[in-house]
């Protein structure tokens, strides 16, 4: 299984941005964690991060026919991007949405997710562990 892991805006600032919400581990630590989780299930992955909506849409479209699953943390675009929703809908690749924090316990504007309309599963508030659960869900069907 080949998994595309997409991280959206500001996730490259992990460890710096609001450590009380997102923790004090760096983005590099997250990438290492994801690679280990993917290896645990015998899959392969490509990691991608961008702060730009169009770049995220392009990457999703490029995944068509190349990846068996997508793990996506769209960051703030979760709540605003119909374009990302449409791209995910177009490629028909099983997708799992991940959020490091529990967005439902945060500001009201964060409670709506466009991505959840197409995602097979959403993990939130589990820190890095949400990514492991997403990978295991796609590769092994584990809840």
């Amino acid at each position: 299984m080949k998994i595309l892991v997409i991280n959206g805006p500001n996730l490259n600032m992990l460890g710096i941005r609001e450590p009380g919400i997102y923790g004090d581990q760096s983005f590099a630590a997250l990438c290492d964690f994801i690679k280990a989780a993917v290896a645990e299930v015998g899959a392969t992955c490509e990691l991608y991060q961008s702060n730009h909506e169009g770049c995220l849409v392009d990457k999703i479209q490029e995944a068509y026919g190349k990846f068996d699953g997508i793990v996506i943390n769209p960051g703030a675009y979760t709540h605003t991007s119909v374009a990302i929703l449409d791209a995910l809908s177009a490629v028909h690749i099983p997708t799992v949405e991940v959020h490091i924090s529990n967005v439902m316990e945060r500001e009201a504007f964060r409670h709506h997710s466009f991505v959840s309309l197409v995602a097979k599963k959403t993990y939130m508030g589990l820190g890095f562990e949400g990514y492991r659960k997403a990978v295991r869900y796609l590769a092994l069907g584990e809840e």
Side-chain angles (χ1 to χ4, degrees):
M1 167 166 259
K2 190 169 182 182
I3 300 171
L4 175 61
V5 182
I6 299 175
N7 282 290
N10 297 311
L11 285 151
N12 58 313
M13 299 299 287
L14 284 175
I16 299 166
R17 178 184 177 219
E18 301 176 277
I21 294 173
Y22 299 105
D24 59 3
Q25 293 188 43
S26 69
F27 183 66
L30 173 62
C31 292
D32 290 343
F33 182 90
I34 293 167
K35 289 175 191 172
V38 170
E40 286 172 10
V41 298
T44 62
C45 71
E46 180 179 328
L47 304 178
Y48 182 77
Q49 189 277 328
S50 179
N51 295 316
H52 306 282
E53 183 179 29
C55 293
L56 297 171
V57 169
D58 288 345
K59 193 65 177 178
I60 292 165
Q61 291 177 356
E62 290 167 11
Y64 181 75
K66 298 176 185 170
F67 289 91
D68 304 302
I70 295 174
V71 174
I72 186 168
N73 182 340
Y77 290 132
T78 302
H79 323 291
T80 63
S81 184
V82 174
I84 290 173
L85 166 65
D86 287 349
L88 290 168
S89 295
V91 298
H92 300 289
I93 299 170
T95 300
V96 178
E97 177 183 20
V98 174
H99 299 283
I100 292 171
S101 69
N102 186 340
V103 295
M104 296 311 226
E105 294 177 352
R106 297 184 61 196
E107 305 92 337
F109 69 85
R110 296 185 193 273
H111 295 181
H112 176 72
S113 167
F114 283 101
V115 173
S116 70
L117 299 174
V118 70
K120 302 266 185 214
K121 187 87 174 156
T122 300
Y123 294 101
M124 65 176 75
L126 302 174
F128 287 10
E129 188 61 28
Y131 289 85
R132 182 192 324 269
K133 288 189 170 289
V135 165
R136 295 185 76 79
Y137 179 84
L138 287 171
L140 306 174
E142 289 183 2
E143 292 288 325

